[in-house]
Every structure is written in C-alpha cells, then in structure tokens.
Amino acid sequence: MLRRHVKTTGWFLYLSIKVRQAMPVFPRISMKPEVTEYLKSVYINKEVLTVVGPEEAERRFQNLLTCLSHPPSYTCVRASTHLAPLEEIHHQLGEELKKRQICSLSAQEASVHILPHPQVKDVLLLPVDGPRCVQQLSSEVVVGAQCANAVLRGANVFAPGILGSPKYMKVGDVVSVFSDLEGRCTRGATNYQGKKVFVGNGVAKRDRSSIFCPGEPARGVGVQMVDPLYRSPSFDGVLPSLVFLQNLPSVVVGHVLDPHPGERILDMCAAPGGKTCHIAALMGDQGEVVALDKIRSKIAQIQENAQILRLQSIKAFCFDGTKAVSSDSTQTSEGPPFPAESFDRVLLDAPCSGLGQRPNMSITWSLKEICSYQPLQRKLFHTAVRLLKKGGVLVYSTCTITLAENEEQVAWALHTFPRLTLQLQKPHIGAEGMLGAGLSSEQLHLLQRFSPELSWDQTQTTSLPCRADGDTIGFFIAKFMKT
C-alpha cells in the first residue's frame, strides 16, 4: 500500500527535496548573538566533538539554524480512530480536501496525497509542496511572525495578524504577504521598509479600512492564500471530530505513555489539550484523564477539544501543577490537590523555551529568558513523582532542543529520584538522546530526540518514512517507571 503511494508521489517528492537542498528561501533563524552562542555551545560540546569531530558538529549546528526557519516537509494529522477506522477517515479526509481545493486549482493540482504512517497507526501524513517558485508582487501585506508561521503550514491570513497593507487595499486585490522578522512594523503601516520575508501571494478578503477600523477589532480571514511559498492544505473546519492537526512527535508522546482502559492518568500541563484528548482516545475513553493548566481560558480550550472529539473521560481543572499534590492522604475530593500516588501514569509535557518549533524565522528572547525554564520543570517533576503510583509510568517531554531542558533534566531526575528508571519507548522513530549531559550510551538509547538538523540534507534516496520521522519539529521524550 505504502509502496504504491511512494510511486505516485515520487517525482513530486524528489523535486521538493532537490529544491530544498539547492535553494533555502529563508534566512537562517534570527536570534540574539548570546542565544546563538549558547546553542552553539550545546551542539558543539566536548562529548559531541569527541564522537563526531568539529566539522560534523559545526555542520549539524548550521543545519539547525537553517531548518528551524522552514516548515517540516510533512503535515501530520492524528485520526480519531476511537470514532472510526483509519481507512474510513483517510478516505473522508481525501474527499473533503479535494472538494475544497478543486474550486481554486486545476484537476491535476487538486489531487491530494495522504499517506498512512507505517508505525504510528493513528497518523496520516500529507507531503508539503515547497519551497515553490512564486512571483512577488508590488502590493504588499505585512503580517506578524506568528501569523506568517501559520501561513507556511497551510493557514490563511486572519485579520488580527495583519500589521500593514497598501493604502487603498480593497476586497479582491491580489497581494504579496510578508513576515515582519523583527517585530518593528507598526499596526496600520502602508509601506513598511524593515526586515521582512516573502511567504506567498493571496487575495484580500477585507478592505484596509475594515482591518484597521478603530473600535471593534477585525475578525475572520483577511487574506486568502492562493499561491503560498509552501503549499499544504488548510484544515480550518475540516472534519473536526475525525482529524486533529498535531505534530508527529506530539502524537508519539501519547503512544509512549501507553495508557490502558480503566486507568487514572494525569496530564500536568495540558493546554491546549491535544495530548490530553489523544490519551483519552487511546484508552477508548474508558478511565479518567485529569488535565491541569493554571490559565483559565486554556481550560475552556481543553474542554472544547474534548467535546469536539466526543471524549467523556477528561476532567479539566484550572490549577498550578507545582501545587497539585496534597499533604492530606485522606482527601477524597475529585479535584486538585491530589493525595500522593494517585495516578497510574503521568504526562509532564513541560513548559519550555520552545526552540524546536518550526517554522520560526526569528527568536527575540534573551538568554536569561531561554534559561529560565529549568527550575520550573524540576518543581513540576517533584510533584509528578509524588503523584505517581508505584509501578507507574512518567513521561517527560518538551518541544525544545537544549540539553538543559532535556538530557540534563534526565540526568538530574535519575540522581534525585533513585526509584525512577528509564524505560524503552515504543514507537521509537526519532534519534537517541544528545551527547553532553554525561549519560551513558545505554541511557541515551532509551531517550527519543527528534532532531531535524540530522535529516535536513538527506538525499532523494532516503525512504519516505525516514523523511517524515526526521523532518519534524525539534522535540524530546523520556519515559520513566517508578519502582
């Protein structure tokens, strides 16, 4: 089955990779010099230099700076296999996307390639077409960096993300969309000359006057993207109960946790609820999944996602995860804080610096901000271990690429909590842990680090599953058992 898909898309994938190798269209990610030096010290540390040598270590670091500003080469969606078989969802998704695209594209361009992941059985992959050769226009719309990142992954431009536009822009005007790299474009600008990057062309869906009208903020689509630099489907309103847009490593986390029906599971930092809902789905919605987040508006988002995905086993609470364990062992209330050893499994998808997110063309944070997460992660870790039952499983994950928030946290945890032991992860489709934290080769082998810089310069001979598994966001997973 997969072989037939590869044949169908082989030439398209070949061209995509060759263009990517020959012509990176974006600059390397922009960071403060102190942050660049810090990351360089991570990727060219003594342990790495000893094993791979200075040239290879430098090559990997430069690949990292390049690939972070580009989107992954696959869009990943998690199928709601608790509601329908994967094959049925696959078919429905293909029909829905084809129906949406055929209105604006030729019949040939409207064909939709959807590939089931060979190891992660509830994942569907859609190859991303890009970078494409797109002609820049003289009429320019400038958007914020977050808005531009979403455009590069298939979204349209929503009105709140627009910072500047032509002075007399009207509905129906064809415009080029640019990302404001340095965050210096003032809202309402008509001719921004600062540092910006082209992300594609679209059609204005609102007049300039309605976008920048004082009073009620503009809502809805401001520019519909028709010729983006990277073409991938928009999933806005597409089969909301059957498919959930989620990065591949984030889906892998749920499978590594391996929840079972009837268990009580804690998701300590749960918003926006993608992993929470996945856990409940993997349990067949049988058991209890407790979701915590200390921001009230995010709790509503978790509850909304659970409702859309028809999951009843999720209970969400607005609560600080660092305070989630109670000193009263006789407490019987449903909500937090909870007595020690209350949960069969705990997911600690920790707040982190997020340096693995892609695409991201600019990081404006200081080194102090980037290094501020480790103490919070350790506070949450202390609580997680106390709340976990003997024989229970704790999964720790981040969407960042530093040693301090990943492998160093594992080394610290193994030293601090003698009852924790590292466990084999299934599936293990990423790389092993990074050298530099003093962990043994056996320990590194049990960790899972998604390292896009390792796959950035793979050739067209690499098999499709390997490309999909390697060209992801930067991510880290560790799995422990409490003895």
Side-chain angles (χ1 to χ4, degrees):
M1 181 74 168
L2 184 60
R3 195 170 296 167
R4 290 203 299 271
H5 282 300
V6 172
K7 280 186 178 181
T8 304
T9 60
W11 180 243
F12 155 73
L13 292 170
Y14 170 81
L15 287 177
S16 175
I17 292 169
K18 291 301 285 184
V19 170
R20 183 181 290 242
Q21 287 180 324
M23 186 189 67
V25 291
F26 301 138
R28 290 173 179 170
I29 188 170
S30 172
M31 298 180 286
K32 294 181 183 296
E34 60 182 5
V35 175
T36 303
E37 286 305 308
Y38 170 69
L39 279 182
K40 187 170 185 177
S41 71
V42 169
Y43 277 77
I44 310 181
N45 66 67
K46 290 181 180 179
E47 286 188 54
V48 170
L49 287 173
T50 299
V51 174
V52 305
E55 288 186 8
E56 173 63 13
E58 178 67 29
R59 187 188 66 82
R60 291 181 183 181
F61 177 63
Q62 296 302 326
N63 276 356
L64 175 75
L65 298 182
T66 300
C67 74
L68 286 178
S69 66
H70 292 69
S73 55
Y74 291 83
T75 295
C76 171
V77 294
R78 174 167 56 79
S80 298
T81 51
H82 65 292
L83 297 178
L86 181 68
E87 294 77 11
E88 181 181 329
I89 297 172
H90 187 163
H91 174 74
Q92 287 193 44
L93 179 60
E95 290 300 307
E96 180 67 20
L97 292 178
K98 188 173 182 179
K99 188 192 312 177
R100 287 173 175 242
Q101 291 183 21
I102 205 164
C103 298
S104 56
L105 302 173
S106 70
Q108 183 178 2
E109 289 177 310
S111 61
V112 178
H113 303 292
I114 305 175
L115 315 169
H117 194 284
Q119 289 179 262
V120 189
K121 300 306 181 183
D122 53 358
V123 161
L124 296 171
L125 298 166
L126 291 85
V128 175
D129 178 11
R132 303 166 62 246
C133 184
V134 181
Q135 180 79 34
Q136 294 183 26
L137 309 173
S138 58
S139 189
E140 299 181 0
V141 166
V142 180
V143 302
Q146 289 300 108
C147 178
N149 293 343
V151 167
L152 290 173
R153 300 203 73 172
N156 290 309
V157 175
F158 285 81
I162 297 176
L163 301 175
S165 76
K167 190 173 183 179
Y168 301 107
M169 186 176 76
K170 300 293 184 185
V171 172
D173 288 354
V174 182
V175 296
S176 283
V177 178
F178 288 80
S179 173
D180 173 21
L181 280 188
E182 298 176 321
R184 295 183 178 181
C185 182
T186 56
R187 187 166 177 78
T190 58
N191 186 27
Y192 180 61
Q193 296 299 314
K195 194 173 181 182
K196 56 193 176 185
V197 172
F198 175 65
V199 296
N201 296 330
V203 176
K205 290 297 180 181
R206 301 183 71 100
D207 296 338
R208 174 185 167 86
S209 58
S210 70
I211 293 173
F212 300 114
C213 178
E216 186 69 21
R219 300 185 183 279
V221 175
V223 177
Q224 181 179 348
M225 299 302 298
V226 295
D227 205 9
L229 208 57
Y230 281 87
R231 191 190 298 283
S232 55
S234 170
F235 281 83
D236 185 27
V238 174
L239 304 179
S241 65
L242 291 181
V243 295
F244 192 91
L245 199 59
Q246 195 168 18
N247 288 302
L248 178 60
S250 298
V251 182
V252 170
V253 166
H255 289 283
V256 169
L257 186 66
D258 192 26
H260 290 69
E263 291 183 330
R264 192 179 192 214
I265 297 179
L266 175 64
D267 188 351
M268 290 188 71
C269 307
K275 297 181 185 70
T276 310
C277 291
H278 190 206
I279 292 167
L282 289 173
M283 297 167 63
D285 208 24
Q286 300 175 43
E288 183 181 356
V289 183
V290 176
L292 303 182
D293 202 277
K294 63 180 182 179
I295 300 176
R296 188 164 300 279
S297 61
K298 292 186 176 182
I299 294 299
Q301 193 175 13
I302 296 170
Q303 293 168 333
E304 181 182 355
N305 281 328
Q307 185 176 13
I308 291 170
L309 296 171
R310 304 178 201 168
L311 296 165
Q312 305 295 320
S313 59
I314 295 171
K315 297 178 180 178
F317 300 95
C318 183
F319 202 82
D320 183 347
T322 64
K323 302 174 183 177
V325 63
S326 172
S327 56
D328 182 3
S329 60
T330 63
Q331 180 177 328
T332 57
S333 64
E334 182 181 83
F338 305 101
E341 301 191 344
S342 294
F343 293 93
D344 299 289
R345 297 172 197 265
V346 175
L347 172 61
L348 174 50
D349 185 51
C352 68
S353 56
L355 298 179
Q357 293 290 0
R358 296 174 60 196
N360 191 353
M361 286 180 265
S362 178
I363 293 176
T364 58
W365 308 317
S366 68
L367 182 57
K368 183 179 180 181
E369 289 172 306
I370 285 171
C371 295
S372 67
Y373 289 91
Q374 191 186 70
L376 172 59
Q377 292 161 354
R378 293 186 177 184
K379 284 183 181 180
L380 289 164
F381 219 112
H382 273 283
T383 303
V385 173
R386 291 183 64 192
L387 287 172
L388 186 63
K389 292 178 181 178
K390 294 174 185 175
V393 169
L394 166 62
V395 169
Y396 172 81
S397 62
T398 73
C399 58
T400 197
I401 54 178
T402 68
L403 281 171
E405 297 173 80
N406 296 329
E407 288 84 357
E408 285 182 16
Q409 295 292 54
V410 171
W412 166 83
L414 293 174
H415 175 77
T416 306
F417 308 105
R419 293 169 63 187
L420 288 185
T421 57
L422 282 173
Q423 300 295 302
L424 185 67
Q425 299 185 35
K426 292 183 180 180
H428 196 299
I429 61 176
E432 63 180 25
M434 180 185 282
L435 293 160
L439 295 169
S440 68
S441 59
E442 291 80 8
Q443 290 169 328
L444 291 174
H445 184 69
L446 292 171
L447 303 177
Q448 188 162 194
R449 177 184 270 255
F450 288 83
S451 304
E453 74 280 355
L454 298 181
S455 67
W456 182 251
D457 55 2
Q458 288 175 340
T459 68
Q460 69 273 15
T461 58
T462 308
S463 67
L464 182 143
C466 290
R467 286 199 299 274
D469 295 345
D471 193 7
T472 66
I473 65 169
F475 205 87
F476 178 83
I477 310 173
K479 181 177 183 178
F480 303 87
M481 178 177 284
K482 182 179 177 180
T483 59

